[in-house]
Amino acid sequence: MRTWFLCKVKYAKENEEGLLKNISEQFLVDAVSFTEAEAVIYDRLGSQIRGDFQVTSLSKSNIVDVFFYEDADIWHKCKVSYLVTDADSGKEKKVNQYMLITAHDVKSAYDRIQESLSSMLVSFRVPDVVESPIVDVFPYEKDEVAEQLPEGNFRPVNEEMEDPD
């Protein structure tokens, strides 16, 4: 299961008049720990931001899934509600989950989340869609991890355990 971390970063950005202004922006990072999330932020933003920047806040996010559409760059946070039945008591329980999706406006974000979740087996509602202050999302990328490994004959552990040698 993915763990999404919300990272707030503060840095000086040049405005239209050429003056430097301190701003704070939020980013979402898929990582296994706070340390990895901070490392990903410094790695990704180090080449994008001119000058110094500082991670001012790092917290686990309540986002469970992210849907990216290339035609839009505004992130919207969608609250998705559905009912699940407790196996022991048989009672129904309302579950709320939050998902992030790119869209030009709230209406298209609503339409896209409906389309993205259309294959869910349970019926759901989308009671809330709001524009998010998140600037960018950095999902886990398997290729980046592979690039960091030294040269060698690496195989997944499960393949090694199956090997009778």
Side-chain angles (χ1 to χ4, degrees):
M1 184 174 168
R2 290 184 156 179
T3 303
W4 292 98
F5 291 89
L6 186 62
C7 302
K8 293 181 184 176
V9 177
K10 187 175 183 178
Y11 65 97
K13 185 175 186 177
E14 192 174 318
N15 63 12
E16 295 83 30
E17 293 89 34
L19 301 172
L20 290 179
K21 182 179 179 182
N22 285 334
I23 63 165
S24 246
E25 292 183 330
Q26 294 183 21
F27 299 89
L28 196 68
V29 178
D30 180 17
V32 295
S33 67
F34 287 93
T35 305
E36 183 186 13
E38 188 174 12
V40 168
I41 282 292
Y42 277 102
D43 182 54
R44 296 286 183 92
L45 297 183
S47 60
Q48 294 179 13
I49 296 175
R50 252 189 336 190
D52 293 337
F53 64 92
Q54 179 182 18
V55 175
T56 58
S57 173
L58 186 60
S59 60
K60 281 189 178 182
S61 171
N62 60 359
I63 303 291
V64 295
D65 212 347
V66 173
F67 301 97
F68 177 72
Y69 289 84
E70 293 204 15
D71 66 334
D73 60 352
I74 300 171
W75 290 97
H76 293 79
K77 188 174 184 179
C78 304
K79 179 180 180 180
V80 178
S81 301
Y82 56 93
L83 297 174
V84 293
T85 305
D86 187 321
D88 297 332
S89 66
K91 293 182 180 178
E92 285 191 335
K93 178 182 174 186
K94 183 178 178 183
V95 175
N96 292 318
Q97 291 187 329
Y98 296 90
M99 300 175 190
L100 217 55
I101 194 160
T102 53
H104 294 289
D105 54 30
V106 171
K107 182 181 179 341
S108 59
Y110 176 83
D111 294 340
R112 285 182 173 179
I113 199 73
Q114 289 282 350
E115 176 188 328
S116 298
L117 299 177
S118 63
S119 62
M120 278 183 65
L121 299 177
V122 296
S123 60
F124 64 92
R125 291 181 344 103
V126 183
D128 192 28
V129 178
V130 295
E131 189 172 320
S132 170
I134 293 172
V135 175
D136 206 353
V137 173
F138 301 123
Y140 171 78
E141 293 182 12
K142 190 175 180 178
D143 295 339
E144 286 182 7
V145 174
E147 288 173 8
Q148 295 174 1
L149 292 174
E151 293 289 325
N153 185 18
F154 294 104
R155 296 189 317 194
V157 174
N158 60 352
E159 287 181 17
E160 194 62 35
M161 295 173 97
E162 293 171 3
D163 199 2
D165 294 335

